[in-house]
Amino acid sequence: MPLKDLVNSFNGESIPNDIIRIANGLPCRDFLTVGLLVDELKIQNNTDIKTLGNIVPDNWIYVQEEEVKLLRLQIFNNWSPFMLKNPENNVWIGAEYTCMENDELWSMDDEELIDFVASEISEIGWIDKSHVLDAHVERIKKAYPSYFDTYKEIDTLIEYLDCFNNLYCIGRNGQHRYNNMDYSMATSFEAAYNIINDISDNSNIWYVNTEKIYHEEKK
């Protein structure tokens, strides 16, 4: 649960005003992804990497074109062909956008958003809009924790939350930290260890992705 939502869910508790202020000031970016099922990608596989249907081998492609709002394109076939009914002839792509909850992009209805996204990807020459076979929209609130506004005071908030012996803050939103999935799972392992061993000090959970032992090594 995002720390902002967590603090505001403490019904009946006497929460210090300063804690509420810090929690409410933690900024996040929201996220939406539009999945499009297409019968082909117009971009070519010019690598030596063999792929099913000879599509480009990338999992993600970051978009540099300034004329579109599209941030990144995900190609689900390259995670697993079993995500599609007909992976040899169809490509399932995810168009990713950062936004703010209730802004213009977020507030589009699904059909309008799908049409907008298909037009953008067509505009940069990656698909033919008329070749879209199916689509799906997902909106994710508070997907990207940001490190400004009251974030500089987060240690005060952490100290307060750690006073609750049965509360464990884990994951990206639970720590307001831009953890990847591995680090997020590591926080849950540390929490489970504390619960099993009746440990009240949660500093080991908060240390994940801060100490060198959790950082990837460059070879």
Side-chain angles (χ1 to χ4, degrees):
M1 180 186 290
L3 292 179
K4 179 187 301 185
D5 295 348
L6 174 65
V7 170
N8 284 290
S9 73
F10 286 174
N11 296 325
E13 294 287 344
S14 179
I15 311 298
N17 289 334
D18 208 37
I19 295 299
I20 296 174
R21 177 187 63 79
I22 295 170
N24 286 336
L26 292 174
C28 290
R29 288 285 280 170
D30 302 300
F31 173 83
L32 62 84
T33 183
V34 177
L36 299 177
L37 184 67
V38 297
D39 55 13
E40 68 171 347
L41 289 178
K42 295 173 73 174
I43 49 178
Q44 302 296 313
N45 181 8
N46 296 317
T47 74
D48 295 328
I49 301 172
K50 302 299 182 183
T51 59
L52 192 62
N54 199 37
I55 62 173
V56 291
D58 308 84
N59 294 77
W60 281 291
I61 301 174
Y62 286 84
V63 179
Q64 306 299 323
E65 286 83 351
E66 295 181 354
E67 63 268 24
V68 296
K69 295 182 178 180
L70 178 64
L71 173 70
R72 187 171 67 178
L73 194 74
Q74 186 167 184
I75 303 178
F76 296 108
N77 298 53
N78 293 332
W79 291 111
S80 170
F82 297 104
M83 299 181 76
L84 290 88
K85 181 178 181 180
N86 188 3
E88 293 192 24
N89 297 303
N90 297 150
V91 186
W92 185 241
I93 58 176
E96 302 180 358
Y97 295 79
T98 54
C99 53
M100 298 298 289
E101 187 179 351
N102 299 321
D103 68 9
E104 181 181 4
L105 195 62
W106 181 275
S107 301
M108 287 185 185
D109 64 48
D110 285 1
E111 292 304 316
E112 182 184 10
L113 186 58
I114 290 166
D115 183 72
F116 170 79
V117 170
S119 296
E120 284 216 321
I121 304 175
S122 296
E123 183 178 345
I124 59 178
W126 290 6
I127 67 168
D128 188 322
K129 186 178 178 180
S130 64
H131 290 188
V132 175
L133 306 173
D134 199 1
H136 179 77
V137 176
E138 287 287 340
R139 295 173 177 83
I140 311 297
K141 297 179 181 179
K142 301 179 178 67
Y144 294 104
S146 300
Y147 300 150
F148 52 92
D149 288 354
T150 59
Y151 179 76
K152 60 183 179 294
E153 301 176 75
I154 196 170
D155 287 347
T156 301
L157 177 59
I158 292 171
E159 184 179 357
Y160 173 79
L161 294 174
D162 279 350
C163 291
F164 296 88
N165 291 332
N166 61 341
L167 177 63
Y168 302 88
C169 296
I170 62 173
R172 178 181 288 189
N173 279 326
Q175 296 196 329
H176 198 84
R177 185 178 298 158
Y178 188 35
N179 288 329
N180 63 21
M181 185 63 72
D182 294 340
Y183 293 141
S184 295
M185 289 190 295
T187 62
S188 67
F189 294 154
E190 296 291 339
Y193 177 84
N194 287 3
I195 293 169
I196 292 169
N197 294 283
D198 196 26
I199 297 172
S200 59
D201 179 6
N202 289 329
S203 57
N204 57 321
I205 303 174
W206 291 101
Y207 282 158
V208 171
N209 199 17
T210 60
E211 290 188 323
K212 289 182 179 180
I213 59 170
Y214 293 105
H215 283 205
E216 299 163 359
E217 292 185 8
K218 210 169 189 179
K219 298 293 185 183

